[in-house]
Structure formats: structure tokens, C-alpha cells
């Protein structure tokens, strides 16, 4: 039947992708690069969060940082990174809704011989599809912005279930969103993913950014140990 | 090759879906139902906009309105509609990132013999995948909320290209987002889609909702003429 055939092909694609991801992840580990996948809806604040986080990571001993900026089209985000002096490569998926290993490998190759202590993949703005695809990273985080609403945890469970941390962004909007129920969000996310780490931040005001940066540094050390 | 095989299957799926959509659309037309697909990112404000729009549509002669609420999981939005006295059916895609005709047909059948003057499909919160799938509606609109940022028009072009109207939501957030460039958004969207109608609204304050409701009424009349 059509559905069975599609499911079988999808499983083949995901299995092949996971094998490539394991090889890529091991190669980054061997060279001392900690790589993190950053996911979330369009406009959740991924680029702004990364700019703030990278500033924190560089402030201690000037860590070498690179960013792969994935988008369906355009180079808007890569240009923002370049303007901040961050090495970046634009990965245009040409309207594909997620990032797969073939794309990651090509984007990484575009850095040439440059090596990083931290390499970030800013994934496609999509709260659904990227959760399914291993991108060869050591750690995955997702952003949920306050204006999106806390109930997204009920409506888009797969991504909450697969990430290492949930970063609640744009917390400076909380006073305008009195119905944003942080406790309900933490509780529901904890049911989907008992080990999930939760951060409440505002990249604009800087709130919570030190704690997030400390956690990222710790994850690098633990991963490369 | 793998990619050619996948592309071929995808084309077959989309073609089959479009045939079913045409049949479904004609059946709704024959019974006097105008159906609209409402798309946008998670948290763009689809449910809140629909609640405001439906209130306007009902205020003139008490139009019969139904809503199909699509989500990966949960019945959060269908319950909100029911609480407002709107006939609604929850369509759970079971983690699929878009809505296809088989799902629309099942959800519509769940209304039984009830018939509507306006039937809305609140699509999955996803700015990418739903653009590709014809859902048998007479009209498609997309929402972009001010907190998401105007630059999404550059990064997610396909949806801007296929819809009949772009509704910029949460315009009450404009004072907190001085970098939201409405003119640049209108210009870029107009290049992707020269016939695109653009509305600036706030469902919270009611701003712009009368104009949107008038346009929807007009589209119904023109479609069913």
C-alpha cells in the first residue's frame, strides 16, 4: 500500500542519515569541536539568542566559534553573524523543511580548514520536522518564545521529547502575557522528557544568559572528556 | 538514485492529493460552503484571530460557522472553539507536519450532516510544509505575527507565494518592535506574490478586524457566485 511504501522509504532515509550523523559527530569530537543544534519556530529568537550566547562564550578566553545558518532561502542570518565577527556559513535548503546530514557536511566543508571549539547549527524555523533528523550534533536545544504561548508543549510534543534543553526566550514579554503558564509548561515538558533542562532567558535584557552559557560550557567539557 | 525516487513519489502524492482536493472543493461549493485554509507559524495567533473573525461573521445575520482544528496532538484549540460556541472538530495528524486530503475528509465527515456557510481549517503551526498541500479550500491565508519579525518573508518564501492574503497579526506589539519594517515586508511579499492582499490586525485590540471580515465575506460571495 502507498502508506506502507512511504513509511519504509522514510525509515531507510532516517537510518542512513543517522549513520552519517554518527560518523560526522565522531569526527568533530576527535578535533575538539562541540556542536549544538538550535531549533525552534520561525521568530523564536534563535539568531538573537546565539549572538548573545556567543558573546558570553568568547568573553572567557576567546573561544573559537562558528555558526551554520540554515534557511529555506536568503542569507539574512549569516550576514548578521558576519556583522558580529562570527565565522558563519549559510545553508540554503532550497525550500526543504529540515536539515539533513548531506547539507551539514557541505556547509561544514565550506569552513575549509578552520576548526572551532563551539560550532552551532541554527536549524530551519520549524517546530515539527527538524526533531526527526539527526544533524550530527552532540547536543540539541529548542527555543520557545513567550509570545508563542506555553500551550505549544501540548500541540507539538515530539521536539520537546528529543532535546537536551528547552530555552524559553523573550521572557521580557512575560508582563504582556499574563496567561503564559511557566509552571504548566515545565510540568508538561518534564512528562515528555524527564531529563530536560529548562532555561528562562531574554537575549534582549540579558536575563538568564549567564546560566545558559555556563551550562553550554559544561556540556562541552562533559562531551569531550 | 535515491533523490529521484523520492521526488517521483512526492510528485505522485501531491498529484493524488490535488485530485481529491478538487473533488472536495466542488462538493463544498455545491452546498454553499466557503472554506478557508488558515496557515502560519506556531503561536502566530491563528486560534485567536479565528475567534475574533468568527464573531464578526456571525454578527451580521448569524452565519453558520465550523472549524477544523489541526494539531500534531491535543485538543486545546477545539476546546477553545467549543467554549465560544463554535462547531469544531479536532484533527490530530499524529505528529505529521501538514494536513492532507484524507485527513480533511475524515474531519469533515465528523460534522455529520451539519452544513456551514463558512468552514475554516486551522492548519498545523508550520511556516513551511503546509504550503505544499492543497487542502480542498477555496481560499488560503497566512498569518505572520509581529514578534516573529518581518524578515521571515525572505527566509520562508514559498508560503508567501501561494496564499491569497497575508494577515500581519499582533500589531499591538509594534511599539515594542521598532525594527519591524512593514513596508519592506509588503514590498518583498508583493514581489513573491503580486496579487497578495495584506491586512494589519490585532485580534486583541480589534484593530483591522472589520476590514478582514469584510474581505472574507466578499471572497465567499465571489467564490459561490
Amino acid at each position: 500500500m502507498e502508506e506502507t511504501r512511504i513509511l519504509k522509504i522514510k525509515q531507510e532515509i532516517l537510518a542512513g542519515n543517522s549513520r552519517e550523523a554518527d560518523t560526522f559527530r565522531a569526527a568533530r569530537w576527535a578535533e575538539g569541536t562541540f556542536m549544538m543544534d538550535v531549533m525552534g519556530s520561525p521568530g523564536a529568537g534563535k539568531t538573537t539568542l546565539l549572538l548573545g550566547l556567543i558573546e558570553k562564550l568568547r568573553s572567557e578566553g576567546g573561544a573559537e566559534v562558528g555558526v551554520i545558518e540554515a534557511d529555506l532561502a536568503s542569507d539574512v542570518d549569516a550576514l548578521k553573524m558576519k556583522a558580529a565577527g562570527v565565522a558563519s556559513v549559510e545553508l540554503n535548503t532550497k525550500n526543504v523543511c529540515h536539515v539533513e546530514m548531506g547539507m551539514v557536511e557541505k556547509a561544514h566543508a565550506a569552513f575549509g580548514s578552520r576548526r572551532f571549539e563551539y560550532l552551532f547549527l541554527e536549524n530551519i524555523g520549524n517546530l515539527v520536522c527538524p526533531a526527526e533528523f539527526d544533524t550530527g550534533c552532540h547536543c540539541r536545544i529548542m527555543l520557545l518564545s513567550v509570545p508563542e504561548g506555553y500551550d505549544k508543549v501540548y500541540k507539538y510534543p515530539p521536539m520537546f521529547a528529543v532535546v537536551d534543553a528547552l530555552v524559553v526566550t523573550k521572557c521580557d514579554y512575560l508582563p504582556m502575557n499574563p496567561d503564559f503558564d511557566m509552571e504548566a509548561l515545565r510540568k508538561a515538558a518534564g512528562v515528555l522528557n524527564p531529563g530536560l533542562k529548562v532555561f528562562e532567558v531574554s537575549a534582549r535584557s540579558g536575563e538568564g544568559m549567564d546560566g545558559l552559557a555556563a551550562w553550554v560550557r559544561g556540556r562541552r567539557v562533559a562531551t569531550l572528556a
Side-chain angles (χ1 to χ4, degrees), chain A:
Chain A
M1 318 280 293
E2 189 68 1
E3 277 192 29
T4 314
R5 186 165 65 122
I6 293 164
L7 191 64
K8 192 166 168 287
I9 291 172
K10 194 174 162 189
Q11 283 166 344
E12 282 172 25
I13 292 169
L14 287 174
N17 187 70
S18 290
R19 283 190 299 272
E20 284 179 63
D22 285 340
T23 307
F24 183 87
R25 193 163 24 242
R28 300 291 77 70
W29 180 86
E31 70 191 24
T33 300
F34 173 69
M35 190 166 167
M36 181 179 276
D37 192 348
V38 180
M39 304 183 285
S41 300
K46 296 181 286 299
T47 313
T48 307
L49 184 92
L50 275 174
L51 285 168
L53 179 59
I54 290 167
E55 198 186 320
K56 298 276 177 203
L57 294 174
R58 284 170 151 183
S59 69
E60 272 188 26
E64 281 290 308
V65 182
V67 180
I68 297 173
E69 289 288 349
D71 273 305
L72 270 62
S74 92
D75 56 0
V76 173
D77 289 344
L79 291 176
K80 277 189 196 168
M81 287 293 158
K82 283 199 172 78
V86 180
S88 63
V89 163
E90 184 70 47
L91 187 175
N92 274 351
T93 63
K94 301 202 172 72
N95 300 344
V96 172
C97 57
H98 62 270
V99 169
E100 301 178 15
M101 280 317 299
M103 304 173 189
V104 175
E105 283 153 2
K106 267 187 211 163
H108 182 256
F111 283 119
S113 60
R114 276 196 82 161
R115 290 297 171 261
F116 305 102
E117 287 161 78
Y118 297 90
L119 182 58
F120 295 98
L121 167 64
E122 185 182 332
N123 214 311
I124 296 294
N126 182 333
L127 206 52
V128 187
C129 314
E132 283 199 286
F133 289 84
D134 190 337
T135 54
C137 292
H138 302 104
C139 180
R140 305 170 86 183
I141 66 171
M142 69 167 286
L143 277 57
L144 179 73
S145 67
V146 167
E148 286 176 76
Y150 77 100
D151 63 353
K152 300 306 168 285
V153 68
Y154 307 120
K155 296 154 86 175
Y156 307 87
M159 188 166 290
F160 290 84
V162 301
V163 292
D164 300 289
L166 161 64
V167 183
V168 185
T169 56
K170 306 192 188 183
C171 282
D172 50 313
Y173 280 84
L174 279 170
M176 282 89 82
N177 290 270
D179 50 350
F180 192 96
D181 192 336
M182 194 72 78
E183 280 318 300
L185 169 62
R186 282 178 174 270
K187 197 174 160 191
V191 170
L192 290 168
N193 186 342
L196 185 72
K197 186 86 187 155
V198 182
F199 296 93
E200 299 176 20
V201 312
S202 163
R204 205 182 265 182
S205 75
E207 176 199 340
M209 293 297 290
D210 282 324
L212 178 62
W215 180 78
V216 172
R217 278 193 205 99
R219 288 290 301 213
R220 178 175 188 271
V221 171
T223 299
L224 300 178

